[in-house]
Amino acid sequence: MSEKNHVICASCGSINNVPAARMADNPVCGKCKKPVMTGQPMELNEAGFNRFVSKSDQPLLVDFWAPWCGPCKMMAPVFTQAATQLEPQFRLIKVNTEVEQNLAGRLRIQSIPTLAIYKNGQEVIRQPGAMGLGDLTSWARSHA
Ligand SMILES: [Zn+2]
């Protein structure tokens, strides 16, 4: 991990420079004064997703889901719980593929849920299908 990390504020989207040693201290945004990380997954549109992939120094764990998908609904509370365990190492992001059809098409998301990890602007790995909490957190950490 570099000495300072670009961390994107969950509230206003500003990029904050957070020293590596302060990442776990619930850093506050320099612009809006709210916590930059909330311990909650963030629902992002295509522009927000692009911003995180290109600007965040934290690896991203993304849940591509849709409202009509039963396994996605079962996955949702697991993903929320995983956020409390994986931040600040990761940021957890949700993309509603029914709303963000352009993005899902561009990324060739073929089944949902699909879980994917992005790091340094690149997709590292993706895994179709729901996962339990223990499998999800250990899978994510093994690709951090
Ligand atoms: Zn902010």
Side-chain angles (χ1 to χ4, degrees):
M1 208 182 269
S2 57
E3 205 174 297
K4 284 193 172 174
N5 293 289
H6 286 147
V7 179
I8 300 175
C9 175
S11 295
C12 74
S14 292
I15 297 168
N16 285 259
N17 274 311
V18 181
R22 302 292 309 278
M23 286 290 281
D25 297 344
N26 199 21
V28 169
C29 177
K31 193 169 184 190
C32 73
K33 313 297 178 198
K34 290 180 184 159
V36 293
M37 291 173 276
T38 59
Q40 296 279 331
M42 279 171 295
E43 186 84 52
L44 294 181
N45 62 15
E46 183 166 10
F49 174 86
N50 290 344
R51 182 169 173 81
F52 265 81
V53 168
S54 60
K55 306 283 189 201
S56 172
D57 284 341
Q58 292 167 289
L60 313 175
L61 174 58
V62 187
D63 177 15
F64 294 95
W65 70 286
W68 46 264
C69 151
C72 297
K73 282 182 192 145
M74 284 161 50
M75 186 73 218
V78 172
F79 200 71
T80 300
Q81 254 191 304
T84 65
Q85 297 190 11
L86 291 171
E87 279 191 3
Q89 187 182 13
F90 279 88
R91 297 299 285 276
L92 275 72
I93 287 167
K94 292 173 69 113
V95 173
N96 182 338
T97 57
E98 189 159 280
V99 176
E100 302 300 329
Q101 289 183 8
N102 185 50
L103 177 61
R106 178 161 66 83
L107 298 173
R108 296 191 171 84
I109 302 297
Q110 282 166 350
S111 66
I112 46 169
T114 287
L115 296 152
I117 293 172
Y118 289 80
K119 210 167 120 178
N120 304 322
Q122 302 284 333
E123 182 176 319
V124 177
I125 190 167
R126 72 169 66 176
Q127 170 88 43
M131 274 190 245
L133 182 62
D135 287 343
L136 177 61
T137 54
S138 58
W139 178 73
R141 287 188 178 117
S142 70
H143 296 285

